[in-house]
Coordinates of all heavy atoms in Angstrom, one line a residue:
M110 N 18.4 49.7 52.7 CA 17.8 49.8 54.0 C 18.8 50.0 55.1 O 18.7 50.8 56.0 CB 16.9 48.6 54.3 CG 16.2 48.6 55.6 SD 15.0 49.8 55.6 CE 14.4 49.7 57.2
L111 N 19.9 49.2 55.0 CA 21.0 49.3 56.1 C 21.7 50.7 56.0 O 22.0 51.3 57.1 CB 22.0 48.2 55.8 CG 22.8 47.8 57.1 CD1 21.9 47.4 58.2 CD2 23.7 46.6 56.7
S112 N 21.9 51.2 54.8 CA 22.5 52.5 54.7 C 21.6 53.6 55.2 O 22.2 54.6 55.8 CB 22.9 52.7 53.2 OG 21.8 52.9 52.4
K113 N 20.3 53.5 55.1 CA 19.4 54.5 55.6 C 19.5 54.6 57.1 O 19.6 55.6 57.7 CB 18.0 54.2 55.2 CG 17.0 55.2 55.4 CD 15.6 54.8 54.9 CE 14.6 55.9 55.2 NZ 13.3 55.6 54.7
I114 N 19.6 53.4 57.7 CA 19.7 53.3 59.2 C 21.1 54.0 59.6 O 21.1 54.8 60.6 CB 19.6 51.9 59.7 CG1 18.1 51.4 59.5 CG2 19.9 51.8 61.2 CD1 18.0 49.9 59.8
F115 N 22.1 53.6 58.9 CA 23.5 54.2 59.2 C 23.5 55.7 59.1 O 23.9 56.3 60.1 CB 24.5 53.5 58.2 CG 25.8 54.1 58.4 CD1 26.6 53.8 59.5 CD2 26.3 55.0 57.4 CE1 27.9 54.3 59.6 CE2 27.6 55.5 57.6 CZ 28.4 55.2 58.7
F116 N 23.0 56.2 58.0 CA 23.0 57.7 57.8 C 22.1 58.4 58.8 O 22.4 59.5 59.3 CB 22.7 58.1 56.4 CG 23.8 57.7 55.4 CD1 23.6 56.8 54.4 CD2 25.1 58.2 55.6 CE1 24.6 56.5 53.5 CE2 26.1 57.9 54.7 CZ 25.9 57.0 53.7
T117 N 21.0 57.8 59.1 CA 20.1 58.4 60.1 C 20.7 58.4 61.5 O 20.7 59.5 62.2 CB 18.8 57.6 60.2 OG1 18.2 57.6 58.9 CG2 17.8 58.3 61.1
S118 N 21.4 57.3 61.9 CA 22.1 57.4 63.2 C 23.2 58.3 63.2 O 23.5 59.0 64.2 CB 22.5 55.9 63.6 OG 23.3 55.5 62.6
C119 N 24.0 58.4 62.1 CA 25.0 59.4 62.0 C 24.5 60.8 62.1 O 25.1 61.7 62.9 CB 25.8 59.3 60.7 SG 26.9 57.9 60.6
A120 N 23.4 61.1 61.5 CA 22.8 62.5 61.6 C 22.4 62.8 63.0 O 22.6 63.9 63.5 CB 21.6 62.6 60.6
W121 N 21.7 61.8 63.6 CA 21.4 62.0 65.1 C 22.6 62.1 66.0 O 22.6 63.0 66.8 CB 20.5 60.9 65.5 CG 19.1 61.1 65.2 CD1 18.4 60.4 64.2 CD2 18.1 62.0 65.8 NE1 17.0 60.8 64.2 CE2 16.9 61.8 65.1 CE3 18.3 62.9 66.8 CZ2 15.8 62.6 65.5 CZ3 17.2 63.7 67.1 CH2 15.9 63.6 66.5
G122 N 23.6 61.4 65.7 CA 24.8 61.5 66.5 C 25.5 62.8 66.4 O 25.8 63.4 67.4
I123 N 25.6 63.3 65.2 CA 26.2 64.6 64.9 C 25.4 65.7 65.6 O 25.9 66.6 66.2 CB 26.4 64.8 63.4 CG1 27.5 63.9 62.9 CG2 26.7 66.3 63.2 CD1 27.6 64.0 61.4
S124 N 24.0 65.6 65.5 CA 23.1 66.6 66.1 C 23.3 66.6 67.6 O 23.4 67.7 68.2 CB 21.7 66.3 65.7 OG 21.5 66.4 64.3
I125 N 23.3 65.4 68.2 CA 23.4 65.4 69.7 C 24.7 65.9 70.1 O 24.8 66.7 71.1 CB 23.2 63.9 70.1 CG1 21.7 63.5 69.9 CG2 23.6 63.7 71.6 CD1 21.4 62.1 70.1
L126 N 25.8 65.5 69.4 CA 27.2 66.0 69.8 C 27.2 67.6 69.6 O 27.9 68.2 70.4 CB 28.2 65.4 69.0 CG 28.6 64.0 69.3 CD1 29.6 63.4 68.4 CD2 29.1 63.9 70.8
S127 N 26.6 68.1 68.6 CA 26.6 69.6 68.4 C 25.9 70.3 69.5 O 26.3 71.2 70.1 CB 25.9 69.9 67.1 OG 26.6 69.4 66.0
F128 N 24.7 69.8 70.0 CA 23.9 70.3 71.1 C 24.7 70.2 72.4 O 24.8 71.2 73.1 CB 22.6 69.7 71.2 CG 21.6 70.2 70.2 CD1 21.0 69.4 69.3 CD2 21.2 71.6 70.2 CE1 20.0 69.9 68.4 CE2 20.3 72.1 69.3 CZ 19.7 71.2 68.4
W129 N 25.3 69.1 72.6 CA 26.1 68.9 73.8 C 27.3 69.8 73.8 O 27.6 70.5 74.9 CB 26.6 67.4 73.8 CG 27.4 67.1 75.0 CD1 26.9 66.9 76.3 CD2 28.8 67.0 75.1 NE1 28.0 66.6 77.1 CE2 29.2 66.7 76.5 CE3 29.9 67.2 74.2 CZ2 30.4 66.5 76.9 CZ3 31.1 67.0 74.6 CH2 31.4 66.7 76.0
S130 N 28.0 70.0 72.7 CA 29.1 70.9 72.6 C 28.7 72.4 72.9 O 29.3 73.2 73.6 CB 29.8 70.8 71.3 OG 30.8 71.8 71.1
F131 N 27.5 72.7 72.3 CA 27.0 74.1 72.5 C 26.7 74.3 73.9 O 27.1 75.4 74.5 CB 25.7 74.3 71.6 CG 25.0 75.5 71.9 CD1 25.5 76.8 71.5 CD2 23.8 75.5 72.7 CE1 24.8 77.9 71.7 CE2 23.1 76.7 72.9 CZ 23.6 77.9 72.4
F132 N 26.0 73.4 74.6 CA 25.6 73.6 76.0 C 26.8 73.6 76.9 O 26.9 74.3 77.9 CB 24.6 72.6 76.5 CG 23.2 72.9 76.0 CD1 22.6 72.1 75.0 CD2 22.6 74.1 76.4 CE1 21.3 72.5 74.6 CE2 21.3 74.4 75.9 CZ 20.7 73.7 75.0
M133 N 27.8 72.8 76.6 CA 29.0 72.8 77.4 C 29.8 74.1 77.3 O 30.3 74.6 78.3 CB 30.0 71.6 77.0 CG 29.4 70.3 77.4 SD 29.0 70.1 79.1 CE 30.6 70.0 79.9
S134 N 29.8 74.7 76.1 CA 30.5 75.9 75.8 C 29.7 77.0 76.6 O 30.3 78.0 77.2 CB 30.5 76.3 74.4 OG 31.3 75.4 73.7
L135 N 28.4 77.0 76.6 CA 27.6 77.9 77.2 C 27.8 77.9 78.8 O 28.0 78.9 79.4 CB 26.0 77.7 77.0 CG 25.1 78.7 77.4 CD1 25.3 80.0 76.5 CD2 23.7 78.2 77.2
K136 N 27.8 76.7 79.3 CA 28.1 76.5 80.7 C 29.5 77.0 81.1 O 29.6 77.7 82.2 CB 28.0 75.0 81.0 CG 28.0 74.6 82.5 CD 27.8 73.1 82.6 CE 28.0 72.6 84.0 NZ 27.9 71.2 84.1
K137 N 30.4 76.8 80.3 CA 31.8 77.3 80.6 C 31.9 78.8 80.5 O 32.5 79.5 81.4 CB 32.8 76.7 79.5 CG 34.2 76.9 79.8 CD 35.0 76.2 78.7 CE 36.5 76.5 78.9 NZ 37.3 75.9 77.8
G138 N 31.2 79.4 79.6 CA 31.1 80.8 79.4 C 30.4 81.5 80.7 O 30.9 82.5 81.1
I139 N 29.3 80.9 81.1 CA 28.6 81.4 82.3 C 29.5 81.3 83.5 O 29.6 82.3 84.3 CB 27.3 80.7 82.5 CG1 26.3 81.1 81.4 CG2 26.7 80.9 83.8 CD1 25.0 80.2 81.3
R140 N 30.2 80.2 83.7 CA 31.1 80.0 84.8 C 32.2 81.1 84.8 O 32.5 81.7 85.8 CB 31.7 78.6 84.8 CG 32.4 78.2 86.1 CD 33.0 76.9 86.1 NE 32.1 75.8 85.5 CZ 32.6 75.0 84.5 NH1 33.8 75.1 84.1 NH2 31.8 74.1 84.0
H141 N 32.7 81.4 83.6 CA 33.8 82.4 83.5 C 33.3 83.7 83.8 O 33.9 84.5 84.5 CB 34.4 82.3 82.1 CG 35.6 83.2 81.8 ND1 36.8 83.0 82.5 CD2 35.7 84.3 81.1 CE1 37.6 83.9 82.2 NE2 37.0 84.8 81.3
L142 N 32.1 84.1 83.3 CA 31.5 85.4 83.6 C 31.2 85.6 85.1 O 31.5 86.6 85.6 CB 30.1 85.5 82.8 CG 30.2 86.1 81.4 CD1 28.8 86.2 80.9 CD2 30.9 87.4 81.5
K143 N 30.7 84.5 85.8 CA 30.5 84.6 87.2 C 31.8 84.9 87.9 O 31.9 85.6 88.9 CB 29.9 83.3 87.7 CG 28.4 83.2 87.4 CD 27.9 81.9 88.1 CE 26.3 81.8 87.8 NZ 25.8 80.5 88.2
R144 N 32.9 84.3 87.5 CA 34.2 84.5 88.1 C 34.7 85.9 87.8 O 35.2 86.5 88.7 CB 35.2 83.5 87.5 CG 36.6 83.5 88.1 CD 37.4 82.3 87.7 NE 38.8 82.5 88.0 CZ 39.3 82.3 89.2 NH1 38.5 81.9 90.2 NH2 40.6 82.4 89.5
L145 N 34.4 86.4 86.6 CA 34.8 87.8 86.4 C 34.0 88.8 87.2 O 34.6 89.9 87.5 CB 34.7 88.1 84.9 CG 35.7 87.4 83.9 CD1 35.4 87.8 82.5 CD2 37.1 87.7 84.3
H146 N 32.8 88.5 87.5 CA 32.0 89.4 88.3 C 32.4 89.4 89.7 O 32.0 90.3 90.5 CB 30.5 89.0 88.2 CG 29.8 89.6 87.0 ND1 29.4 90.9 86.9 CD2 29.6 89.1 85.8 CE1 28.9 91.1 85.7 NE2 29.0 90.1 85.0
Q147 N 33.3 88.5 90.1 CA 33.8 88.5 91.5 C 35.0 89.4 91.7 O 35.5 89.5 92.8 CB 34.1 87.1 91.9 CG 33.0 86.2 92.0 CD 33.3 84.7 92.3 OE1 34.5 84.3 92.0 NE2 32.4 83.9 92.7
I148 N 35.5 89.9 90.6 CA 36.7 90.9 90.8 C 36.2 92.1 91.5 O 35.3 92.8 91.1 CB 37.2 91.2 89.3 CG1 37.8 90.0 88.7 CG2 38.2 92.3 89.4 CD1 38.1 90.2 87.2
P149 N 36.9 92.4 92.6 CA 36.4 93.4 93.5 C 36.8 94.9 93.2 O 36.4 95.8 93.9 CB 37.0 93.0 94.9 CG 38.3 92.4 94.5 CD 38.0 91.7 93.2
C150 N 37.6 95.1 92.2 CA 38.2 96.4 91.9 C 37.2 97.6 91.8 O 37.5 98.6 92.4 CB 39.1 96.3 90.7 SG 40.5 95.2 90.9
S151 N 36.1 97.4 91.2 CA 35.2 98.5 91.0 C 34.6 99.0 92.4 O 34.2 100.1 92.4 CB 34.0 98.1 90.1 OG 33.3 97.1 90.6
D152 N 34.7 98.2 93.4 CA 34.2 98.6 94.7 C 35.4 99.0 95.7 O 35.1 99.2 96.9 CB 33.4 97.5 95.3 CG 32.1 97.3 94.6 OD1 31.5 98.2 94.0 OD2 31.7 96.1 94.5
C153 N 36.6 99.1 95.1 CA 37.7 99.4 96.0 C 38.1 100.8 96.0 O 38.0 101.5 94.9 CB 38.9 98.5 95.5 SG 40.4 98.7 96.4
K154 N 38.5 101.4 97.1 CA 38.9 102.8 97.1 C 40.2 103.1 96.4 O 40.4 104.2 96.1 CB 38.9 103.3 98.6 CG 40.1 102.8 99.4 CD 40.0 103.5 100.8 CE 41.2 103.1 101.6 NZ 41.2 103.7 103.0
Y155 N 41.0 102.1 96.1 CA 42.2 102.4 95.3 C 42.0 102.3 93.8 O 42.9 102.6 93.1 CB 43.3 101.3 95.7 CG 43.6 101.4 97.2 CD1 43.4 100.3 98.0 CD2 44.2 102.5 97.7 CE1 43.7 100.3 99.4 CE2 44.5 102.6 99.0 CZ 44.2 101.5 99.8 OH 44.5 101.6 101.2
F156 N 40.7 102.0 93.4 CA 40.4 101.9 92.0 C 40.2 103.3 91.5 O 39.4 104.1 92.0 CB 39.2 101.1 91.8 CG 38.9 100.8 90.3 CD1 39.7 100.2 89.5 CD2 37.7 101.3 89.8 CE1 39.3 100.0 88.1 CE2 37.3 101.1 88.5 CZ 38.2 100.5 87.7
T157 N 40.9 103.7 90.4 CA 40.9 105.2 90.0 C 39.8 105.3 88.8 O 39.5 106.5 88.5 CB 42.2 105.6 89.4 OG1 42.6 104.8 88.3 CG2 43.3 105.5 90.5
N158 N 39.4 104.3 88.2 CA 38.5 104.4 87.1 C 39.1 105.1 85.9 O 38.4 105.8 85.1 CB 37.1 105.0 87.5 CG 36.0 104.5 86.6 OD1 36.1 103.5 85.9 ND2 34.9 105.2 86.6
D159 N 40.4 105.1 85.8 CA 41.2 105.8 84.7 C 42.0 104.7 84.0 O 42.7 104.0 84.7 CB 42.1 106.8 85.3 CG 42.8 107.6 84.3 OD1 43.0 107.1 83.2 OD2 43.2 108.8 84.6
Y160 N 41.9 104.6 82.7 CA 42.5 103.4 82.0 C 44.0 103.6 82.1 O 44.7 102.6 81.9 CB 42.0 103.3 80.6 CG 42.5 104.5 79.7 CD1 43.7 104.3 78.9 CD2 41.9 105.7 79.6 CE1 44.1 105.3 78.1 CE2 42.3 106.7 78.8 CZ 43.5 106.5 78.1 OH 43.9 107.5 77.3
R161 N 44.6 104.7 82.3 CA 46.0 104.9 82.4 C 46.6 104.4 83.7 O 47.7 103.9 83.7 CB 46.4 106.4 82.2 CG 46.1 106.9 80.9 CD 46.2 108.4 80.8 NE 45.1 108.9 81.5 CZ 44.8 110.2 81.5 NH1 45.6 111.0 80.8 NH2 43.8 110.7 82.1
L162 N 45.9 104.4 84.8 CA 46.3 103.9 86.1 C 45.1 103.5 86.8 O 44.5 104.2 87.5 CB 47.1 105.0 86.9 CG 47.6 104.5 88.2 CD1 48.7 103.5 88.1 CD2 48.1 105.7 89.0
K163 N 44.8 102.1 86.6 CA 43.5 101.6 87.2 C 43.5 101.6 88.6 O 42.5 101.7 89.3 CB 43.2 100.2 86.6 CG 43.0 100.3 85.1 CD 42.7 98.8 84.6 CE 43.0 98.7 83.1 NZ 43.2 97.3 82.7
C164 N 44.7 101.3 89.2 CA 44.8 101.1 90.7 C 46.2 101.7 91.1 O 47.1 101.5 90.4 CB 44.7 99.6 91.0 SG 45.1 99.2 92.7
T165 N 46.1 102.3 92.2 CA 47.3 103.0 92.7 C 48.2 101.9 93.5 O 49.3 102.2 93.7 CB 47.0 104.2 93.6 OG1 46.1 103.7 94.6 CG2 46.4 105.3 92.8
V166 N 47.6 100.8 93.9 CA 48.4 99.8 94.6 C 48.9 98.7 93.7 O 50.1 98.4 93.8 CB 47.5 99.3 95.7 CG1 48.3 98.2 96.6 CG2 46.9 100.4 96.6
H167 N 48.0 98.1 92.9 CA 48.4 97.1 92.0 C 48.0 97.4 90.6 O 46.9 96.8 90.1 CB 47.8 95.7 92.4 CG 48.1 95.3 93.8 ND1 49.4 94.8 94.1 CD2 47.4 95.3 95.0 CE1 49.4 94.5 95.4 NE2 48.3 94.8 95.9
P168 N 48.6 98.3 89.9 CA 48.1 98.7 88.6 C 48.1 97.6 87.6 O 47.3 97.7 86.6 CB 49.1 99.8 88.2 CG 50.3 99.6 89.1 CD 49.9 99.0 90.4
I169 N 49.0 96.7 87.7 CA 49.0 95.6 86.7 C 47.9 94.5 86.9 O 47.2 94.1 86.0 CB 50.4 94.9 86.6 CG1 51.4 95.9 86.1 CG2 50.4 93.7 85.7 CD1 52.8 95.4 86.1
N170 N 47.6 94.3 88.2 CA 46.6 93.3 88.5 C 45.2 93.8 88.5 O 44.2 93.0 88.5 CB 46.9 92.7 89.9 CG 48.2 91.9 89.9 OD1 48.7 91.6 88.9 ND2 48.7 91.7 91.1
A171 N 45.0 95.1 88.6 CA 43.6 95.6 88.6 C 42.8 95.2 87.5 O 43.1 95.2 86.4 CB 43.7 97.2 88.7
C172 N 41.5 94.9 87.9 CA 40.5 94.4 86.9 C 40.8 93.2 86.2 O 40.3 92.9 85.1 CB 40.1 95.5 85.9 SG 39.6 97.0 86.7
T173 N 41.7 92.4 86.7 CA 42.0 91.1 86.1 C 41.7 90.0 87.1 O 41.4 90.3 88.2 CB 43.5 90.9 85.7 OG1 44.3 90.9 86.9 CG2 44.0 92.1 84.8
E174 N 41.8 88.8 86.7 CA 41.6 87.6 87.6 C 42.6 87.6 88.7 O 42.4 87.0 89.7 CB 41.5 86.3 86.8 CG 40.3 86.2 85.9 CD 40.2 84.8 85.3 OE1 40.1 83.9 86.0 OE2 40.3 84.8 84.0
E175 N 43.8 88.2 88.5 CA 44.8 88.3 89.5 C 44.3 89.1 90.7 O 44.8 88.9 91.8 CB 46.1 89.0 89.0 CG 46.6 88.3 87.7 CD 47.1 86.9 87.9 OE1 47.7 86.7 88.9 OE2 46.9 86.1 87.0
A176 N 43.3 89.9 90.5 CA 42.8 90.8 91.6 C 41.8 90.0 92.5 O 41.4 90.5 93.6 CB 42.1 92.0 91.0
L177 N 41.4 88.8 92.1 CA 40.5 88.0 93.0 C 41.3 87.7 94.3 O 42.3 87.2 94.3 CB 40.1 86.7 92.2 CG 39.1 86.9 91.1 CD1 39.0 85.6 90.3 CD2 37.8 87.3 91.6
G178 N 40.7 88.1 95.3 CA 41.3 87.8 96.6 C 42.4 88.7 97.0 O 43.3 88.4 97.8
C179 N 42.4 89.9 96.4 CA 43.4 90.9 96.6 C 43.4 91.3 98.1 O 42.4 91.7 98.7 CB 43.1 92.2 95.8 SG 44.3 93.5 96.0
I180 N 44.6 91.3 98.8 CA 44.7 91.5 100.1 C 44.7 93.0 100.5 O 44.4 93.4 101.7 CB 46.0 90.9 100.8 CG1 47.2 91.4 100.1 CG2 45.9 89.4 100.7 CD1 48.5 91.0 100.7
D181 N 44.8 93.8 99.5 CA 44.8 95.3 99.7 C 43.4 95.9 99.4 O 43.3 97.1 99.4 CB 45.8 96.0 98.9 CG 47.2 95.6 99.3 OD1 47.5 95.6 100.5 OD2 48.1 95.3 98.5
F182 N 42.4 95.1 99.2 CA 41.1 95.6 98.9 C 40.6 96.4 100.1 O 40.6 95.9 101.2 CB 40.1 94.4 98.6 CG 38.7 94.9 98.5 CD1 38.2 95.5 97.3 CD2 37.8 94.7 99.5 CE1 36.9 95.9 97.2 CE2 36.5 95.1 99.5 CZ 36.1 95.7 98.3
A183 N 40.1 97.6 99.8 CA 39.4 98.4 100.9 C 38.2 98.9 100.3 O 38.2 99.5 99.2 CB 40.4 99.5 101.2
P184 N 37.0 98.8 100.9 CA 35.8 99.2 100.4 C 35.7 100.7 100.1 O 36.3 101.5 100.9 CB 34.7 98.8 101.4 CG 35.4 98.1 102.5 CD 36.9 98.1 102.2
K185 N 35.1 101.1 99.1 CA 35.0 102.5 98.7 C 34.3 103.4 99.8 O 34.7 104.4 100.1 CB 34.3 102.7 97.4 CG 35.1 103.2 96.3 CD 34.3 103.3 95.0 CE 35.1 103.2 93.8 NZ 34.4 103.1 92.6
Y186 N 33.2 102.8 100.2 CA 32.4 103.5 101.1 C 32.4 102.8 102.5 O 32.3 101.6 102.6 CB 30.9 103.5 100.6 CG 30.8 104.1 99.2 CD1 30.6 103.2 98.2 CD2 31.0 105.4 99.0 CE1 30.5 103.8 96.9 CE2 31.0 106.0 97.8 CZ 30.7 105.1 96.7 OH 30.7 105.6 95.4
N187 N 32.4 103.6 103.5 CA 32.3 103.2 104.9 C 30.9 103.1 105.3 O 30.2 104.0 105.4 CB 33.1 104.2 105.8 CG 33.3 103.6 107.2 OD1 32.6 102.6 107.6 ND2 34.2 104.2 107.9
N188 N 30.4 101.9 105.6 CA 29.0 101.7 105.8 C 28.6 102.3 107.2 O 27.5 102.7 107.4 CB 28.7 100.1 105.9 CG 28.7 99.6 104.5 OD1 28.5 100.4 103.5 ND2 28.9 98.3 104.3
E189 N 29.5 102.4 108.1 CA 29.2 102.9 109.5 C 28.8 104.4 109.4 O 27.8 104.8 110.0 CB 30.3 102.7 110.4 CG 30.5 101.2 110.8 CD 31.7 101.0 111.6 OE1 32.4 102.0 112.1 OE2 32.1 99.9 111.9
N190 N 29.5 105.1 108.6 CA 29.3 106.6 108.5 C 28.5 107.0 107.3 O 28.3 108.2 107.1 CB 30.7 107.3 108.5 CG 31.4 107.0 109.8 OD1 30.8 106.8 110.8 ND2 32.8 107.0 109.7
N191 N 28.2 106.0 106.4 CA 27.5 106.3 105.2 C 28.2 107.4 104.3 O 27.6 108.2 103.7 CB 26.1 106.7 105.4 CG 25.3 105.6 105.9 OD1 25.5 104.4 105.6 ND2 24.2 105.8 106.6
I192 N 29.5 107.3 104.3 CA 30.3 108.2 103.5 C 30.6 107.7 102.1 O 30.9 106.6 101.9 CB 31.7 108.5 104.2 CG1 31.5 109.1 105.6 CG2 32.5 109.4 103.4 CD1 32.7 109.3 106.4
Ligands
LIG372 S1 43.9 97.3 95.6 FE1 43.4 95.2 94.8 S2 41.1 95.2 94.8 FE2 41.7 97.3 95.0 S3 41.7 98.1 92.9 FE3 43.8 97.5 93.4 S4 44.0 95.4 92.6 FE4 41.8 95.9 92.8

């Protein structure tokens, strides 16, 4: 009887830890994806969309987390003239 309680509680413990680990990984992945979506390069006028030279100003940092907060970011389109 005592061993049954022990193994049942072990099974529940492992299940709960597995679910907790899964949800923590999911939460971490979502946070990382949100951060990657903040990279501004695709909306920047210096972005070439060419894998050989992604950016004419910061070719190494373009499309990486290093580009977050890039001081040379310039919007592709000018909203005032709708160009
Ligand atoms: S200038 Fe900065 S924001 Fe613009 S494409 Fe290059 S790295 Fe990205």
Side-chain angles (χ1 to χ4, degrees):
M110 178 68 182
L111 203 57
S112 64
K113 189 176 180 183
I114 293 172
F115 174 74
F116 287 121
T117 304
S118 59
C119 282
W121 274 107
I123 290 171
S124 300
I125 290 170
L126 283 176
S127 298
F128 280 119
W129 181 77
S130 175
F131 171 75
F132 283 113
M133 291 307 286
S134 298
L135 191 67
K136 190 176 169 183
K137 190 176 173 185
I139 289 171
R140 194 180 318 128
H141 186 66
L142 270 180
K143 282 182 180 175
R144 185 168 167 79
L145 290 181
H146 276 280
Q147 292 173 345
I148 295 174
C150 295
S151 60
D152 296 326
C153 179
K154 74 177 182 182
Y155 300 115
F156 184 64
T157 62
N158 208 16
D159 185 336
Y160 72 94
R161 291 168 290 189
L162 181 66
K163 295 178 201 164
C164 169
T165 53
V166 182
H167 300 289
I169 294 177
N170 295 345
C172 300
T173 66
E174 288 187 64
E175 306 295 321
L177 286 170
C179 178
I180 57 172
D181 293 314
F182 172 79
K185 245 181 206 171
Y186 305 106
N187 188 346
N188 287 338
E189 291 176 3
N190 299 329
N191 289 332
I192 298 172

